Amino acid sequence: MRTDRGTARRLLRHPRVELALKAAVAATVAWVLARQVPGAQEYAFYAPFGAVATTYSAVVRSVAEAVRTVAAILLGGVVGVLADVVLGPGVAAIALVVGLGMLLAGVPWFGDARSYVPVAGMFVLLVGQGEELGYTAAYAGLFLLGAACTVVVSTVRPALPLERTDRALSALREACVEHLRSLAAVIDPVAGDGVELPDRDGLSGPLNRARTEVDELRQAARGNRRARRRSDDVARRTEYFRALQRAALLVDDLQATVEDQPWGLSVSHLPEELRTPTADALRELAATTAEAATHDVEPGRRRSADRATATLVSALHRYGERGGSDAVTLVVSAVVTTLRRSLSALTPWDRIQLSTSPAEALELEDDRTDR
């Protein structure tokens, strides 16, 4: 019973439910108001249509889409009126309205509202016969009335999708961790046999979703009184996404290095003395990424990953001193640089100081161990 109540509570708190309720209220109010406009009863349905078409989680997005859509409707109306004046109602006029409307709809500024240009032109030409100007004014005016209702309703209780953004960031973080652990398993000389790498597209999906959610959160925060009280929460998530985005791109670069064969050499076929520290460094970076739910993770984990990377550098130096292959040196050096850049992306330099050289990383860890 408690589980059912918990499920119902989560469903009711889902952002889509709130958005649907706002759209329903705005459309109802728009319909009632439109029915009171003298001479507009026949076209009153455009008001709730405008309310629904401009319902977004961010108030500023609703305002922007309302402005673009009304502008598209007016432009389409002008095209329809001109076509009727020049050619009169008929096949040629329809062709002109659709063709010219589609060309004008290509203006990037219209965005998602671009389709309204030819559609409005067709409505004016075919529905508003004999009253093209009045029909255009009614169409645009009632649509604007509905959009205004949406903006007012959204302003009363503005959305701030923090939880949805957190879920997207968590999914991106988990995808990065999975790929890093898989890379470590493939490179490890003990566990590497039979291990398959995950599909590289497995990172692009979570990355794109997180980018979309963070963009929507930032839009929702504009002109949002709730966001004024939680500006630090919005800024922290934005900063964290930027760090995860850099890390995800670098993880993808690491995987490309494993899958490809730069200098004719795969990372999974390095000498064993380099494969082990490489796998260890990847596991440490995965652990750091897994704990980086916020930018306030304890310094110990970052420094442990820092030391693992330094250990790999030391192993590479010893390999080079013994006259090792230049190809191996180049490949491992690329991996080291990417590991370090990934760790740096996840480390807030104003709160956690990493080493500035491999030797310093090893010395810092030795000092910490002695204490």
Side-chain angles (χ1 to χ4, degrees):
M1 188 67 176
R2 290 181 179 177
T3 302
D4 292 341
R5 289 179 180 176
T7 302
R9 191 178 297 111
R10 285 194 298 272
L11 289 174
L12 290 174
R13 293 177 59 186
H14 194 280
R16 199 68 190 179
V17 174
E18 182 178 355
L19 195 66
L21 289 173
K22 289 179 179 179
V25 171
T28 302
V29 173
W31 171 256
V32 172
L33 293 178
R35 296 286 294 174
Q36 310 307 313
V37 178
Q41 288 81 2
E42 183 180 359
Y43 305 119
F45 62 88
Y46 283 127
F49 177 65
V52 173
T54 56
T55 297
Y56 293 91
S57 58
V59 177
V60 292
R61 178 79 184 277
S62 293
V63 173
E65 291 302 320
V67 172
R68 292 190 184 98
T69 305
V70 171
I73 290 171
L74 290 174
L75 181 58
V78 171
V79 172
V81 170
L82 290 176
D84 183 69
V85 170
V86 174
L87 300 174
V91 175
I94 293 175
L96 177 61
V97 167
V98 173
L100 184 56
M102 289 298 292
L103 286 174
L104 294 173
V107 176
W109 180 81
F110 285 120
D112 293 339
R114 61 173 57 89
S115 62
Y116 283 90
V117 179
V119 169
M122 289 285 292
F123 280 0
V124 169
L125 183 66
L126 300 178
V127 180
Q129 291 182 5
E131 298 180 357
E132 289 83 359
L133 292 177
Y135 178 84
T136 301
Y139 187 179
L142 291 170
F143 189 99
L144 183 59
L145 172 63
C149 291
T150 291
V151 171
V152 171
V153 171
S154 298
T155 303
V156 171
R157 184 177 171 76
L160 192 64
L162 294 172
E163 293 182 3
R164 198 172 68 208
T165 303
D166 286 341
R167 287 194 295 271
L169 291 174
S170 178
L172 175 58
R173 183 180 67 251
E174 290 171 3
C176 288
V177 171
E178 178 187 354
H179 279 250
L180 285 169
R181 287 173 176 166
S182 297
L183 288 170
V186 168
I187 295 172
D188 193 299
V190 177
D193 294 336
V195 178
E196 295 184 1
L197 284 172
D199 190 345
R200 286 174 63 187
D201 291 338
L203 273 177
S204 60
L207 178 59
N208 291 334
R209 283 192 292 274
R211 182 184 294 111
T212 298
E213 294 297 342
V214 171
D215 287 343
E216 290 189 4
L217 175 63
R218 294 174 64 190
Q219 284 188 10
R222 295 171 57 191
N224 188 329
R225 68 176 188 279
R226 290 176 62 194
R228 296 191 192 101
R229 298 192 299 269
R230 309 195 66 174
S231 58
D232 290 343
D233 293 334
V234 176
R236 184 165 58 250
R237 284 162 175 81
T238 302
E239 179 185 2
Y240 181 46
F241 166 70
R242 288 171 179 161
L244 270 182
Q245 177 179 233
R246 286 186 59 200
L249 294 174
L250 289 166
V251 169
D252 181 72
D253 188 52
L254 273 173
Q255 186 163 339
T257 304
V258 173
E259 292 178 348
D260 301 338
Q261 294 191 16
W263 306 102
L265 176 70
S266 171
V267 177
S268 58
H269 294 95
L270 292 172
E272 185 172 333
E273 62 186 291
L274 294 175
R275 288 177 65 185
T276 297
T278 300
D280 290 342
L282 285 166
R283 290 193 186 97
E284 285 294 339
L285 181 59
T288 298
T289 307
E291 288 190 3
T294 69
H295 245 25
D296 300 323
V297 70
E298 289 298 320
R301 172 57 66 189
R302 309 294 175 99
R303 289 172 183 156
S304 181
D306 193 14
R307 176 182 171 82
T309 304
T311 300
L312 173 58
V313 173
S314 297
L316 181 60
H317 284 166
R318 290 193 297 271
Y319 175 81
E321 288 172 354
R322 293 196 302 272
S325 166
D326 289 341
V328 170
T329 301
L330 288 170
V331 171
V332 177
S333 296
V335 171
V336 167
T337 300
T338 304
L339 283 167
R340 177 65 183 199
R341 290 180 64 198
S342 299
L343 179 60
S344 298
L346 294 168
T347 301
W349 285 91
D350 58 334
R351 294 191 290 276
I352 302 174
Q353 294 296 318
L354 296 177
S355 64
T356 56
S357 69
E360 181 184 345
L362 296 173
E363 289 173 2
L364 288 173
E365 185 65 18
D366 290 339
D367 292 342
R368 191 169 68 88
T369 303
D370 293 340
R371 289 197 297 272

